[in-house]
Amino acid sequence: MQTSPAHAVHHGDREIETLEEFDAVVSARGTLSGFRVQAVDLTDRTRELLTTDTAGAVFLGCPMRPDAEARLRAAGALVLPPVPGLPFDPYRGHLYTPGDLFASLDKGYEETPDALAYAWFQRTRADGDIYASMLRSVHDDAMSDALDELLRGARVVGVMGGHAMARGTERFRGAARLGRALARTGFTVATGGGPGAMEAANLGAYAAPYDDAMLDEACALLAAAPSFTPSVTDWARAAFRVRTRWPKGNHSVGIPTWFYGHEPPNAFASHIAKYFANATREDGLLARCNAGVVFLPGAAGTVQEIFDNATPNYYGSRGEPTPMVLVDRAHWTEKLPAWPLLRSLARDRSMEERIALVDRIEEAPEALKRMGGQ
């Protein structure tokens, strides 16, 4: 999942997202013509900017000296400077890490970039300001671009479930074991990136290199702050204590949204694509789960995800249907009877052999394998 420092050269695309990539392209090609340079601090690359061909290049949110900016514009480059006063970078070239979003957690969650971005969103979401709307859209498109680059060639299994699943419960431990089993099989685990079942699956993926004792101890440490209410600060600090004690966790992906700002992102997803637009986030999450999706018990959001995923499987709009595994027969046939409707939709269609209902979380990996998810 890691990209090479010179991937702009190796993969033949035209994006430069790090200073190392910038130097590699200038050295190897001697031109920046036609390239897109995204959120790279070029303050110390004035000489290169003054002497390199930049006709048709685009610089998105790149800090640089005024003389370099003037020369680029005169040479036919498009320069969109950094936007001052924002708690996020709309031109960001890479996904977030937990450390990015939870920076300043020692001062309380309210001071973190995640909380400040949500506060900005709350101030601007309903004011009809085209500028704020544009900034949100540019940011979300940058997230999608970075997510596509990260997941290129990966086999992704989604784990969906509700935020209400508390740490310290057997269901939480079961979801963590599921995430660990999927990661150990070679899948990249992707979740909605929030608390509850989502955090548990990301925790499990993180724990994949460790033994059973580690996962048991981690769950016990997390149980001291079972929910993100009443204190997101305490909840997040417990997660970082686990990460500090076991620092070499496996990677996974979280795809949360500021639309549900009351739900913080979890700290166990190594790569976090956080969106302002929930519709973009939902569709993008499910579309990237090319090896199947496991649906743990949840409420309205999980029900929506089931049928958001079923629709392209029904019409074949993304090609062959991907496996769908619903976990907990009583939940999906009695409490929220999504399974009978899903089964009716699938009848006599190619997706019929790609849906399964299982009683226990432990059965989900085998169901995925049986339906071609491996």
Side-chain angles (χ1 to χ4, degrees):
M1 291 174 57
Q2 302 300 320
T3 52
S4 163
H7 78 84
V9 175
H10 293 320
H11 292 304
D13 62 33
R14 311 294 288 180
E15 295 178 6
I16 297 174
E17 297 163 346
T18 67
L19 200 57
E20 291 78 10
E21 290 177 0
F22 178 87
D23 291 340
V25 169
V26 171
S27 174
R29 302 197 177 190
T31 179
L32 291 166
S33 179
F35 277 82
R36 282 80 174 96
V37 189
Q38 186 175 348
V40 179
D41 189 342
L42 299 174
T43 306
D44 294 330
R45 294 296 186 273
T46 300
R47 181 177 62 82
E48 288 80 359
L49 294 176
L50 292 176
T51 59
T52 304
D53 176 23
T54 56
V58 178
F59 294 83
L60 301 171
C62 298
M64 63 182 69
R65 300 190 187 282
D67 53 339
E69 181 176 341
R71 189 266 171 181
L72 294 179
R73 294 183 189 277
L78 177 64
V79 181
L80 300 180
V83 181
L86 285 180
F88 64 95
D89 182 356
Y91 303 116
R92 185 181 179 90
H94 300 279
L95 300 183
Y96 295 102
T97 68
D100 293 332
L101 291 176
F102 285 104
S104 303
L105 183 63
D106 58 321
K107 300 176 183 176
Y109 173 69
E110 295 75 14
E111 297 299 317
T112 65
D114 186 65
L116 295 173
Y118 176 59
W120 177 88
F121 182 39
Q122 288 292 89
R123 290 195 304 270
T124 63
R125 65 190 297 182
D127 63 9
D129 182 359
I130 185 67
Y131 181 53
S133 177
M134 180 198 73
L135 292 174
R136 293 194 295 268
S137 296
V138 169
H139 171 274
D140 285 1
D141 193 61
M143 285 291 101
S144 294
D145 182 66
L147 195 56
D148 286 339
E149 292 176 1
L150 177 78
L151 296 178
R152 187 180 290 134
R155 295 185 303 154
V156 183
V157 170
V159 179
M160 310 298 152
H163 68 263
M165 183 184 288
R167 294 167 168 176
T169 63
E170 183 52 40
R171 280 191 169 185
F172 186 92
R173 288 187 288 271
R177 289 192 294 270
L178 170 64
R180 186 179 64 176
L182 293 171
R184 286 178 172 176
T185 305
F187 292 119
T188 295
V189 174
T191 78
M198 297 169 279
E199 180 187 44
N202 287 128
L203 166 65
Y206 185 88
Y210 296 97
D211 60 13
D212 289 349
M214 175 271 175
L215 188 56
D216 291 341
E217 290 181 55
C219 287
L221 287 172
L222 293 173
S227 174
F228 62 96
T229 58
S231 172
V232 175
T233 302
D234 291 345
W235 176 85
R237 284 175 176 169
F240 279 100
R241 282 194 290 272
V242 170
R243 289 180 58 98
T244 299
R245 184 166 175 181
W246 295 280
K248 297 182 179 180
N250 186 55
H251 62 256
S252 66
V253 175
I255 308 180
T257 174
W258 280 295
F259 183 81
Y260 297 133
H262 62 287
E263 291 186 15
N266 78 72
F268 293 108
S270 54
H271 304 278
I272 302 174
K274 191 151 191 181
Y275 287 85
F276 288 105
N278 187 50
T280 305
R281 167 252 190 175
E282 288 277 8
D283 185 67
L285 169 57
L286 293 166
R288 289 174 174 87
C289 295
N290 55 16
V293 184
V294 178
F295 297 91
L296 301 179
T302 311
V303 172
Q304 177 183 347
E305 287 164 345
I306 289 172
F307 292 103
D308 279 348
N309 197 56
T311 300
N313 281 348
Y314 179 88
Y315 288 111
S317 55
R318 294 181 187 144
E320 283 294 311
T322 52
M324 299 176 63
V325 181
L326 278 60
V327 176
D328 192 330
R329 188 176 303 273
H331 186 86
W332 294 121
T333 62
E334 299 171 18
K335 185 176 181 180
L336 294 174
W339 173 252
L341 178 54
L342 180 63
R343 188 172 57 180
S344 296
L345 277 173
R347 188 172 294 123
D348 298 326
R349 303 188 77 87
S350 58
M351 68 180 285
E352 187 171 15
E353 301 302 316
R354 296 293 182 93
I355 63 171
L357 176 66
V358 299
D359 286 312
R360 299 181 301 111
I361 285 177
E362 291 78 8
E363 299 174 73
E366 179 57 34
L368 274 177
K369 180 178 180 179
R370 185 173 67 249
M371 296 187 295
Q374 296 197 46

